[in-house]
Amino acid sequence: KQEVTQIPAALSVPEGENLVLNCSFTDSAIYNLQWFRQDPGKGLTSLLLIQSSQREQTSGRLNASLDKSSGRSTLYIAASQPGDSATYLCAVWVGLGAGSYQLTFGKGTKLSVIP
Amino acid sequence: EADIYQTPRYLVIGTGKKITLECSQTMGHDKMYWYQQDPGMELHLIHYSYGVNSTEKGDLSSESTVSRIRTEHFPLTLESARPSHTSQYLCASSGYEQYFGPGTRLTVT
């Protein structure tokens, strides 16, 4: 059974710092890996999706990498801002059949960026 | 604008009541999902659908049921709500990515 672990569980940094969030998964047979942001009491906002054949994806100040063989992904946030404060979730896509995929989530990293 | 909607956003209801959580998407996706998230815990898949008239149970056992009569609509029903059903319920649909609705926070008293 696929398990996803995110380290650290919580992180507090001063504004302007660069930071790295870590995600590891136990079964390398994944289809995609997707990073999300969740604000308190809200749904999930997709940040980046990395296909299993890709090594990284970039969007603005965000860069996500994927190493399938070692079961690891990292999310790099450059020049952090207070608006980046949220919980960041890593999810791996696992096939359900007939073109459907289940996302298996980690518990998330709660990020606080201090002004 | 293509989006995914959930109603109600918040619901407080007494034990034994029947409730239906609504989910609609305007993205034309065949595949839809329901996830449950307890506070501070991971999301877990409870139901999914490949398309109209297709529903399957997910990893996490749930007393809820779902239906998929129209492509855009994927409601979740609890026939008799209990305090153990208190949680956040998130609906999603997938094309290239999985897109999530804002969630319904359910409290059963």
Side-chain angles (χ1 to χ4, degrees), chain A residues 58-109:
Chain A
T58 298
S59 175
R61 294 183 293 110
L62 305 180
N63 176 276
S65 68
L66 173 63
D67 185 344
K68 268 186 61 178
S69 60
S70 67
R72 296 180 189 275
S73 176
T74 61
L75 179 67
Y76 174 82
I77 302 177
S80 58
Q81 302 170 357
D84 295 332
S85 298
T87 296
Y88 289 80
L89 299 172
C90 169
V92 298
W93 289 47
V94 178
L96 292 169
S100 283
Y101 299 89
Q102 169 182 341
L103 267 59
T104 299
F105 285 86
K107 289 186 178 181
T109 294

Side-chain angles (χ1 to χ4, degrees), chain A residues 1 4 32 34 36 38 41-44 46 48-49 51 54 57 89 93 96-107, chain B residues 9-10 31 33 35 37 40-45 48-50 58-59 88 90 94-103 105:
Chain A
K1 181 186 174 186
V4 179
N32 293 330
Q34 195 167 355
F36 294 88
Q38 186 174 31
K42 302 285 181 64
L44 275 64
S46 178
L48 289 165
L49 180 143
Q51 296 179 347
Q54 296 176 323
Q57 281 285 342
L89 299 172
W93 289 47
L96 292 169
S100 283
Y101 299 89
Q102 169 182 341
L103 267 59
T104 299
F105 285 86
K107 289 186 178 181
Chain B
R9 292 291 316 280
Y10 303 92
K31 301 170 184 63
Y33 311 81
Y35 291 84
Q37 184 182 31
M41 301 298 290
E42 310 98 314
L43 282 79
H44 289 284
L45 182 70
Y48 61 98
S49 168
Y50 298 121
D59 279 353
Q88 174 156 272
L90 289 154
S94 68
Y96 176 69
E97 300 180 7
Q98 279 211 8
Y99 300 91
F100 282 77
R105 188 168 296 277

